């Protein structure tokens, strides 16, 4: 087996030696070089083309963030792991925007470091295949994610933007409109609310599923799913954050692969973070609904996400969905100017309809189908390019009504 080739970058020689000692007994890894600053890291990356680069943040001259950005452009087949004593979110955001695949905070253990290198290397191999670089592996991305079903993920690093509400209502709308197979997966592993919003008693959760000793297949997955009255099959989030820690990125990858081969639509409600699980989901998604509202804090999160998505090559699959649109928040025109793009869709604010639906556990697309918010969700199916064929006359009429009412 070819070892994972690692380049170690840190301006302190003793730190580099410590990292090399941590990896010395890992038979599947080889340290092929070490750099003392960002400029040297860029030069060695271009010369050695390592599989994984361990990059310190604070270095003289060209720092780790700058070096990461340069290497991501010049040697995109190499995966970069930022290693720093700084654990603040701002450093994490800058690292992800620059192109890093993981962010680790010192001090490190050998097991933690080795596991992260293996996971990031495996993920980078898949990305190299998808985007035209790197050596082939046994199974291509296209083979692993057969294009029968569409995966739609709902994402925002800011909470309270209505991801779950929209995911639930869109799943129900798709099932009723298309009469096709729809799966809804709750991957907000710490605090998912899909089963509550849809008023279903889950048979188990995604955490229970991944602990099952039987082989992962469609029958096993569906044994943990619960049907909604509309036909949507729901895989619930764990009942506690501790259980959520049992779910790993590889588990989610297998679940998506299997469901994609048997369902027409797979909707995923994600957690508000750049976790390895979320990155796997976003990698696999045909459509990423990046959620926005008219608050300045959310706008900041979405602007940052767009920068990161551009680096990760998600931009072409991303649609910005404005939720809870009202006349009091930041104007749509100003949102678009700040983000330098057009919004894909707008869902109007209707607190009475939405709150009543949530408290009753009945999606508003069923309980209030003629409300503006419900019509907007129905139109969202087309705006996200989820429906095949021409738009119906009734749908075009509905869109005209919403555009007139909400001036979007």
């Amino acid at each position: 087996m070819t070892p994972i080739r690692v380049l170690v970058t840190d301006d302190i020689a003793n730190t580099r030696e410590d990292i090399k000692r941590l990896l010395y007994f890992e038979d599947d890894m080889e340290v092929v070089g070490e750099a003392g600053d960002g400029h040297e890291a860029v030069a060695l990356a271009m010369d050695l083309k390592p599989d994984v680069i361990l990059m310190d943040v604070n270095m003289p001259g060209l720092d780790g963030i700058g070096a990461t950005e340069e290497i991501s452009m010049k040697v995109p087949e190499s995966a970069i792991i930022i290693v720093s004593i700084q654990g603040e979110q701002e450093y994490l955001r800058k690292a992800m925007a620059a192109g890093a695949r993981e962010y680790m905070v010192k001090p490190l253990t050998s097991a933690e470091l080795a596991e992260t290198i293996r996971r990031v290397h495996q993920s980078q191999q898949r990305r190299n295949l998808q985007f035209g670089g790197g050596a082939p592996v046994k199974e291509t991305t296209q083979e692993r994610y057969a294009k029968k079903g569409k995966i739609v993920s709902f994402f925002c690093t800011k909470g309270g933007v209505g991801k779950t509400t929209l995911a639930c209502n869109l799943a129900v709308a798709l099932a009723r409109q298309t009469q096709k197979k729809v799966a809804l997966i709750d991957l907000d592993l710490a605090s998912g609310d899909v089963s509550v919003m849809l008023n279903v008693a889950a048979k188990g959760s995604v955490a229970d599923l991944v602990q099952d000793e039987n082989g992962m297949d469609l029958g096993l997955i569906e044994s943990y799913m619960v049907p909604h009255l509309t036909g949507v099959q729901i895989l619930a989030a764990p009942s506690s954050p501790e259980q959520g820690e049992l779910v790993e990125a590889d588990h989610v990858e297998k679940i998506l692969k299997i469901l994609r081969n048997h369902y027409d639509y797979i909707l995923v409600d994600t957690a508000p973070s750049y976790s390895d699980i979320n990155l796997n989901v976003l990698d696999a998604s045909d459509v990423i609904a990046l959620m926005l509202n008219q608050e300045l804090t959310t706008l900041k999160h979405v602007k940052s996400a767009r920068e990161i998505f551009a680096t990760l090559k998600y931009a072409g699959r991303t649609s910005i969905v404005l939720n809870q649109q009202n006349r009091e928040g930041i104007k749509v025109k100003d949102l678009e100017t700040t983000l330098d793009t057009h919004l894909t869709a707008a869902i109007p604010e209707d607190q009475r309809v939405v709150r009543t639906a949530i408290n009753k556990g009945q999606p508003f697309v069923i309980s209030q189908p003629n409300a503006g918010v419900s019509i907007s969700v129905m139109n969202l199916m087309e705006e996200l390019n989820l429906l095949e064929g021409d738009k119906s006359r009734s749908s075009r009429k509905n869109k005209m009504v919403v555009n007139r009412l909400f001036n979007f």
Side-chain angles (χ1 to χ4, degrees):
M1 180 179 66
T2 304
I4 302 171
R5 302 170 68 252
V6 180
L7 171 63
V8 179
T9 301
D10 198 291
D11 61 323
I12 301 175
N14 286 340
T15 302
R16 297 198 300 270
E17 289 300 319
D18 289 341
I19 292 176
K20 288 163 64 177
R21 279 194 290 271
L22 288 176
L23 299 178
Y24 182 78
F25 293 103
E26 303 299 333
D27 295 335
D28 59 341
M29 296 178 196
E30 175 188 5
V31 175
V32 295
E34 52 183 292
D37 60 48
H39 292 295
E40 188 178 1
V42 174
L44 283 174
M46 294 176 65
D47 180 42
L48 299 173
K49 292 182 170 50
D51 298 312
V52 175
I53 301 170
L54 300 178
M55 182 75 70
D56 185 39
V57 170
N58 298 312
M59 295 185 293
L62 183 64
D63 67 11
I65 299 297
T68 296
E69 190 169 13
E70 194 167 338
I71 292 171
S72 295
M73 293 188 292
K74 294 180 178 179
V75 196
E77 63 269 30
S78 295
I80 302 173
I81 300 173
I82 293 286
V83 182
S84 174
I85 60 172
Q86 308 289 344
E88 288 83 358
Q89 283 295 316
E90 182 64 15
Y91 282 93
L92 172 60
R93 185 196 70 80
K94 289 180 178 179
M96 298 298 291
R101 292 296 293 175
E102 187 62 85
Y103 190 100
M104 303 185 72
V105 179
K106 300 175 184 176
L108 309 172
T109 67
S110 58
E112 173 184 31
L113 181 59
E115 180 184 351
T116 301
I117 290 173
R118 292 187 185 99
R119 184 177 69 248
V120 168
H121 174 56
Q122 185 179 47
S123 176
Q124 185 66 32
Q125 283 187 307
R126 294 194 295 265
R127 290 179 57 78
N128 288 344
L129 279 173
Q130 186 171 1
F131 300 116
V137 292
K138 292 182 180 179
E139 192 176 33
T140 68
T141 300
Q142 288 76 15
E143 290 169 336
R144 287 170 48 251
Y145 294 121
K147 290 295 183 182
K148 180 191 176 186
K150 286 188 176 181
I151 297 177
V152 184
S153 56
F154 296 82
F155 182 81
C156 186
T157 52
K158 174 72 164 58
V161 296
K163 286 189 296 85
T164 304
T165 301
L166 191 57
C168 291
N169 279 274
L170 185 61
V172 168
L174 278 168
R176 299 190 75 190
Q177 178 80 6
T178 66
Q179 300 297 307
K180 293 183 177 180
K181 295 186 69 176
V182 179
L184 176 57
I185 307 175
D186 192 346
L187 287 182
D188 189 346
L189 300 175
S191 55
D193 289 324
V194 166
S195 59
V196 175
M197 284 198 177
L198 293 179
N199 193 27
V200 296
K203 303 175 183 177
S205 73
V206 63
D208 298 314
L209 167 62
V210 302
Q211 293 179 82
D212 199 302
E213 294 182 359
N214 297 319
M216 184 78 75
D217 58 18
L218 180 64
L220 179 64
I221 295 173
E222 290 189 329
S223 71
Y224 285 95
M225 299 176 84
V226 59
H228 187 255
L229 58 90
T230 57
V232 176
Q233 293 286 330
I234 301 159
L235 184 57
S239 57
S240 68
E242 292 78 14
Q243 280 206 327
E245 293 177 0
L246 300 171
V247 182
E248 299 176 357
D250 287 347
H251 295 141
V252 172
E253 184 178 341
K254 291 177 183 177
I255 292 169
L256 291 178
K257 176 186 174 183
I258 293 169
L259 290 180
R260 188 166 214 168
N261 284 323
H262 296 89
Y263 281 76
D264 299 288
Y265 302 99
I266 303 96
L267 280 65
V268 185
D269 185 20
T270 65
S273 67
Y274 292 108
S275 66
D276 204 40
I277 287 176
N278 275 353
L279 290 175
N280 265 21
V281 172
L282 297 175
D283 276 343
S285 296
D286 298 284
V287 178
I288 301 169
L290 182 56
M291 301 295 294
L292 173 68
N293 63 22
Q294 291 162 283
E295 295 178 359
L296 187 60
T297 53
T298 309
L299 179 59
K300 174 188 173 184
H301 281 256
V302 171
K303 185 176 181 181
S304 172
R306 274 177 49 78
E307 295 171 359
I308 293 171
F309 282 14
T311 302
L312 298 176
K313 297 182 174 63
Y314 297 156
R317 296 178 279 131
T318 301
S319 297
I320 300 180
V321 178
L322 174 61
N323 196 28
Q324 303 162 345
Q325 183 190 8
N326 56 60
R327 302 186 187 280
E328 298 175 359
I330 302 172
K331 294 181 179 179
V332 170
K333 182 171 65 175
D334 294 333
L335 293 173
E336 292 182 327
T337 299
T338 301
L339 295 173
D340 192 26
T341 189
H342 291 294
L343 307 185
T344 302
I347 310 297
E349 183 177 63
D350 192 332
Q351 292 187 9
R352 183 185 61 81
V353 169
V354 174
R355 186 182 297 116
T356 300
I358 291 174
N359 289 337
K360 290 184 176 180
Q362 187 174 27
F364 51 74
V365 292
I366 296 177
S367 61
Q368 296 286 338
N370 295 320
V373 64
S374 299
I375 295 171
S376 293
V377 171
M378 298 297 291
N379 289 335
L380 187 61
M381 292 187 290
E382 294 172 355
E383 288 157 341
L384 296 180
N385 295 317
L386 300 181
L387 300 180
E388 298 177 359
D390 295 330
K391 300 175 183 179
S392 68
R393 183 167 61 181
S394 62
S395 181
R396 289 197 301 270
K397 179 180 177 182
N398 286 344
K399 185 169 293 187
M400 289 172 60
V401 170
V402 172
N403 288 344
R404 185 173 68 250
L405 287 174
F406 300 101
N407 192 28
F408 182 77

